[in-house]
Every structure is written in C-alpha cells, then in structure tokens.
Amino acid sequence: MQYADVSCAPGSCDVKAKSVTRHSDSSGVKEPAQQNLGGHAELGGEGTPPSPADDAAPGWGHSLATLGLVNAGKGMLPRADGGAPDDPEADAQQGVPAKVVAQQAVARLKLPQPVIHTSPQEDVGQVVHVPTWMWVERRTWGPVTASAAVGGVEVTATARPQRVVWSMGEGGTVVCRGPGTPYSNRFSPKASSPDCGYTYQRASTSVSGKAFPVRAQVFWDVEWEGGGRSGVVPGLMMSVERRLVVGEVQAVVTH
C-alpha cells in the first residue's frame, strides 16, 4: 500500500509518496513493500550523464535501432545486461564492471556521416527504367575504434559498418550488404550494379519539389573487449538524405 506526506506553502503544495509493508490480515500472510525494478546505468564524469556536446561533432549522432541499445544521454550505448554473464566475484576484484566501462568506450565512438553517390550522377538526375547505381564513399566505410579506462579497467570498442538501407522515395527499399560499387567506364551504360542498384519505375515530376527524397542508413555493429569480458552491440546507425530528380526520356520519331 502507499501513503503520502503533504506539505503546503502559500501558492503550492508538495506531495511525497512512500511505499510501506502492509501488515498481516486475518490470514496471517504479509505482503511485501513494492520495489522499483526499472532504470539503467547512466554514464559521465563524477556520476553525471555525459553531455551530447562533450564529444559529438556537428552532423554526428547515433540513432536508436532497438537492437540491444539504450539512450544514456549521448549516443546509443549497450544495455547493462549485454556481453558475458555477471560474475560478482570478478567484478568485486576489478572494482568497476567491464560492461560499465564498455558503455563509455562506445559513447566515444565517432562514426562518420556517410557520403553517398549515384550513377547517373545525383546532381544530373536519374532516368526511368535505366539502372541507378548507388554507393557510399570508402573513406566513410571502415572500422572505428575508441577506448575507455576506469579504475584500472580498460575497454576497447570497435565499430564496423554492416549494411546500407536505401529508401528510394517512390516506395522502393534496397538493402546493400556493403558500400556498393562505384560506376566506371569498364561497365556497360545499360548494366545494373553488381551489388547495390535500383531502377525507377516513374518520374518524380508529380511529387513535391519534383524530386524523390532518398535516405541512406548505414548500420554498424560494435565489438568490445577488456577487463576479462567481451560483448557485441548491434544496430548503431548513421543516415544521410538528399533528393533525386528522376525524368523520362522521350523517343523522337523522324522521317
């Protein structure tokens, strides 16, 4: 059961709710007081959660993909229940649980904002029924590493890009398991991309701005290791958007 303390001053009142044990009734059975089982660990210096401005540069940000992550004030961090099973004796010996240090290491990762390209060139426009090639620049596709150390426990986290999900604007979605292949003259102009392509079925002339909104989402997995423990944090994501004009080529008949 719960009761409340109420204290009032001119113009306002404060109410404090408390939980107590309800004593036995006629059956002689006691009901335990309620316990709060929710919550998660927050990181930061001197017991405060880190500020988003501490390490994040403009344009950088981790997006929640609901894959074993919680938001602890900055970026997406691994849940406290991830990684190896709890070992109270080992945690007591090392002072600070490795999983707590891993959260700080993941928070320090600087994932690059993806830079995307298409062929035909994104600034020129795409053509209905002609294959569009898509790719992410290699300089924004590669492992990123960060470390953290607390109380003699050091953990290193390494993020690696896994896939790109392209939303093409006219309803189509493409999942590419790598950065994609840049188009070059060694390919036929009519050829489709070997690993990351799309073919538009209608022009963008009827949509707002006469261009399709295109979004590329790069998903990263993180592996961390240190303090005798290791774990995986899947689903960190970086995204970028742009608009693509898609036109139709009209045939001209001459006599």
Side-chain angles (χ1 to χ4, degrees):
M1 96 185 238
Q2 294 186 332
Y3 69 96
D5 288 339
V6 181
S7 60
C8 294
S12 65
C13 288
D14 293 326
V15 180
K16 296 181 179 179
K18 297 183 178 180
S19 296
V20 299
T21 301
R22 186 164 63 188
H23 295 288
S24 59
D25 54 19
S26 59
S27 65
V29 178
K30 292 184 178 181
E31 295 186 7
Q34 295 180 350
Q35 295 180 348
N36 180 12
L37 302 179
H40 63 268
E42 293 183 337
L43 306 180
E46 301 299 324
T48 60
S51 167
D54 286 347
D55 298 317
W60 285 349
H62 300 304
S63 298
L64 179 61
T66 63
L67 295 173
L69 306 178
V70 294
N71 190 342
K74 177 179 63 179
M76 305 320 302
L77 309 180
R79 289 189 182 276
D81 57 1
D86 289 333
D87 185 345
E89 293 184 2
D91 288 343
Q93 291 177 359
Q94 67 186 20
V96 180
K99 288 180 289 187
V100 174
V101 186
Q103 289 180 323
Q104 294 196 12
V106 174
R108 293 180 179 178
L109 289 168
K110 299 282 199 259
L111 301 185
Q113 185 175 8
V115 178
I116 60 175
H117 296 289
T118 65
S119 181
Q121 293 183 5
E122 58 271 17
D123 295 330
V124 174
Q126 314 305 302
V127 180
V128 172
H129 303 310
V130 174
T132 294
W133 294 46
M134 301 102 67
W135 66 92
V136 176
E137 280 192 10
R138 292 282 180 174
R139 65 182 177 86
T140 63
W141 185 278
V144 178
T145 301
S147 298
V150 178
V153 178
E154 183 174 358
V155 172
T156 297
T158 301
R160 292 182 174 84
Q162 301 297 317
R163 67 189 184 280
V164 188
V165 178
W166 293 79
S167 300
M168 304 307 296
E170 69 165 353
T173 300
V174 180
V175 178
C176 301
R177 298 297 174 180
T181 302
Y183 179 80
S184 68
N185 292 333
R186 64 190 180 93
F187 299 102
S188 167
K190 298 181 180 180
S192 299
S193 170
D195 54 3
C196 193
Y198 183 79
T199 301
Y200 280 98
Q201 301 301 311
R202 62 188 179 93
S204 60
T205 53
S206 61
V207 301
S208 176
K210 300 187 182 302
F212 288 123
V214 175
R215 181 173 71 251
Q217 298 173 301
V218 180
F219 288 86
W220 301 66
D221 284 355
V222 179
E223 296 179 349
W224 63 266
E225 183 175 4
R229 302 292 184 87
S230 62
V232 176
V233 183
L236 273 66
M237 183 268 284
M238 297 292 290
S239 67
V240 65
E241 296 184 8
R242 69 162 302 132
R243 301 184 71 85
L244 287 183
V245 175
V246 181
E248 292 184 277
V249 176
Q250 303 294 333
V252 178
V253 179
T254 61
H255 297 281

